[in-house]
Every structure is written in structure tokens, then in C-alpha cells.
Amino acid sequence: MKAIPADLAEQVCSADIDVTATARIAAIYHRSLARRAVGRLGEAQRPEAQNLVPRVRRLAPAVVHSLYRNTAGAGPAETRRQLQEAGSPAPAAVYTGPPDAPWLRDGLQEVLRSLGWGDEQVGTVVTALPPEAWSSLYLSRQALRTAWPEAWSEHNTLVEHLVLVRGPMRSATLQSTFGTIYAQVQETGDPLRMFELLLHESAHHALLLREQFTRFIANPDAVGTHALRPDPRPLRGVLHAAFVMWRITEGLHRYQRTHRGGGPLDGHPVEERRIFALQSLHSALALLDESAQWTEDGRILRTALRTSAKHEGIPV
């Protein structure tokens, strides 16, 4: 596990969002990867690149992928360019680059394998969206920005690419392409689904980041099931489901409180989805309390998740 400054330890064990703390934690994570990239260079070439590491805030997903997959390292000039660009990351945006980029192709296939598709080429990246999709995406982003500004800022801090896919999946986040959200292109047709998706996958990023610094469950590979994924999953996956459902529940509640009459999601079943998120949160927490061996930090996080459920009147 990576070391964390004492004043950030509380945020690592929290379900809520402190944007400044998140940015600092993310920078620590990305700098650890940057040092790995520098370590690939020849001894004489390292000092100049090493001087850029303290400025790193967010490495591009392609760079993260090369480091996690231990593929051929970039040369000195390219490594310096990557570290320089990591000092001023741009807000999250729909991916419009080459659809066959190696890191993207590998990432999509990893997602599909996790869903049982083996190495079949059943997914393709979409980089040209119809106007109605852009309109829906705009509404979902407006809803998140106005209802929960901190979640919107966290999304833009952690995520670089929203990769839209045509294939047998809904959405996904991978550690090996951290900074990328994969989403079924059909999801863009519904602003409410996209609002949930942005919260959902940003939450996975937030918890993956926390897991770089601590363990929440001592038996993360033990198997259980929950409402979101009826197939057996490791308890670590169930914890992710609970964390995601907490974020979605909170986001929908804040949206209702912010937009009491209309708003970007006007006409969509927001209350129905909030109730489903609460029920899913309850289901995941019940399984975790039955089967998980919580660490000290895990018990702190569990308390935060359970508190939300109690406030909403769910028996836990």
C-alpha cells in the first residue's frame, strides 16, 4: 500500500467527497506511477524526467495502461512529454481519438472478458455521436454539476475519457486504464441513466483510488451475490456496489432537493431510481455485514455507508 499523509486518512475512509483531498490523493497515486515510468529510463536519462514528477497530477490512461501491463516503456523525450502533460489535466470529455489505440483495445477486451465474453471481438469504440446523444449527455452533466458540485469536480479530477462503446455491456471502470469510463453508447439516450452512470463510474474511480492506500476487507476474494450482480462476485466487488449505490442515492437525493420544480432530468423517474438505489445499497450492506471481515478502516467506511441508509429509513 502507498503511504498517505495523516491529514488525508479521514478522506480515504469516507464515502463523501472532499475535492481538495481527492485531488491530493490522486496526485500521490499518479506520482507513484510516474516514478515507475522514470525508473524505466536509463540512469543518465532519469534526472531530467525525475524533476517533473512533483508536478504530476493525472497521467493519461494510455500511460497508466502501459505501466500496469508492463509494456515497452516510452523513450526519454516521450516520457518527459507524458509527465509534462500530466501536470495540467483537462476535464473529462467524450473520447474522440483513434478507436483502435492499443491501450483502448486492450482495455475494452478486459471489460468484455470480465463479463464472460472471452477474447471475442464483440465490442467497438464509437467516436461519432448523433446530436440527440450530445443533448442527453449535456443534460446529465448539467444535472450533476448543479445538484452535487463536489461530485462533478471529483469526476473531472479523476476521469479523462468517457469512451462510448457498441457492444454487450453497460458501463465499466478498470484499474489498468484508470481515468477512463467505458459506457454503452445506448446509455447516452437517457439523461437520467447517464446521470447515474457518471456517478456510478466516478464512484468506482474514487474507491479504486482509496484502495491504493488501505484495505477495507480482510477477505476480499470471498464470494457473495447482491442485487446489482446476481452472479457470485468477490466481496470486494460487493463493497464497490455498496459504495456506488451510496453515491447514486446521495446524488439523486441532492438532485431532488436542488430541482424541486423541473430541472435537467424533468419527466424522468428520479424517485423510482432513488428507491431502487436505496434498496440495492441495503442489499449490498446486508451481505457485507454477513460475510465480510472488516479491517479497522473498513469499519469506518461501513459506518459511513450505513449512516446514509439509516437516514433514509432503511432497516440495517
Side-chain angles (χ1 to χ4, degrees):
M1 296 293 177
K2 299 171 183 61
I4 189 76
D7 63 327
L8 295 177
E10 182 178 350
Q11 179 63 17
V12 168
C13 299
S14 171
D16 213 335
I17 302 170
D18 178 324
V19 177
T20 301
T22 297
R24 289 177 60 198
I25 295 168
I28 293 170
Y29 163 66
H30 284 284
R31 285 168 191 157
S32 72
L33 293 178
R35 283 189 286 272
R36 195 186 307 176
V38 172
R40 291 177 165 189
L41 301 176
E43 187 172 350
Q45 300 159 336
R46 291 174 192 166
E48 187 176 356
Q50 184 65 46
N51 290 337
L52 297 171
V53 171
R55 296 181 60 253
V56 167
R57 291 171 55 201
R58 188 181 72 198
L59 290 169
V63 181
V64 174
H65 176 266
S66 72
L67 293 167
Y68 269 92
R69 290 286 175 259
N70 200 28
T71 55
E78 178 63 11
T79 297
R80 289 195 299 271
R81 183 192 66 79
Q82 292 169 349
L83 299 185
Q84 287 168 343
E85 291 184 352
S88 302
V94 173
Y95 179 80
T96 57
D100 58 348
W103 72 270
L104 188 55
R105 183 186 62 242
D106 290 351
L108 178 55
Q109 287 308 119
E110 183 178 343
V111 170
L112 294 171
R113 282 194 296 272
S114 75
L115 297 173
W117 287 96
D119 291 323
E120 298 179 54
Q121 302 294 319
V122 294
T124 57
V125 173
V126 177
T127 57
L129 293 180
E132 57 271 20
W134 283 112
S135 176
S136 176
L137 185 58
Y138 172 79
L139 291 173
S140 65
R141 285 168 158 171
Q142 282 292 97
L144 183 56
R145 184 182 64 81
T146 56
W148 197 355
E150 294 83 0
W152 173 246
S153 293
E154 180 190 69
H155 169 70
N156 286 294
T157 296
L158 300 181
V159 177
E160 179 172 344
H161 297 310
L162 175 60
V163 174
L164 299 174
V165 176
R166 186 171 287 110
M169 57 168 288
R170 293 196 66 181
S171 66
T173 289
L174 298 174
Q175 186 75 64
S176 62
T177 56
F178 192 89
T180 298
I181 289 174
Y182 302 86
Q184 163 60 255
V185 68
Q186 292 178 345
E187 296 293 298
T188 62
D190 185 311
L192 176 55
R193 288 211 307 268
M194 278 304 300
F195 175 81
E196 291 188 65
L197 189 150
L198 295 176
L199 281 169
H200 184 139
E201 299 304 334
S202 296
H204 279 308
H205 273 77
L207 187 52
L208 283 172
L209 185 62
R210 286 159 166 76
E211 288 173 334
Q212 302 305 304
F213 300 93
T214 191
R215 295 182 70 193
F216 297 109
I217 298 176
N219 59 335
D221 297 325
V223 175
T225 60
H226 62 89
L228 289 182
R229 290 279 292 271
D231 53 311
R233 297 189 73 195
L235 292 181
R236 176 174 175 263
V238 180
L239 176 61
H240 269 261
F243 192 89
V244 163
M245 286 298 104
W246 187 93
R247 288 289 187 86
I248 292 177
T249 299
E250 181 70 11
L252 291 170
H253 173 69
R254 287 176 181 243
Y255 177 83
Q256 290 175 311
R257 190 173 59 194
T258 302
H259 298 285
R260 297 184 182 276
L265 304 180
D266 190 27
H268 293 273
V270 174
E271 175 63 10
E272 178 182 324
R273 295 300 301 170
R274 187 184 69 85
I275 292 172
F276 172 78
L278 283 167
Q279 292 170 339
S280 299
L281 171 60
H282 177 215
S283 174
L285 288 174
L287 175 57
L288 289 169
D289 281 342
E290 176 183 326
S291 305
Q293 298 171 11
W294 296 101
T295 66
E296 181 178 351
D297 285 347
R299 284 191 290 272
I300 297 172
L301 180 59
R302 180 192 66 173
T303 298
L305 297 172
R306 285 169 61 93
T307 298
S308 174
K310 287 179 179 178
H311 285 169
E312 294 288 349
I314 293 183
V316 290

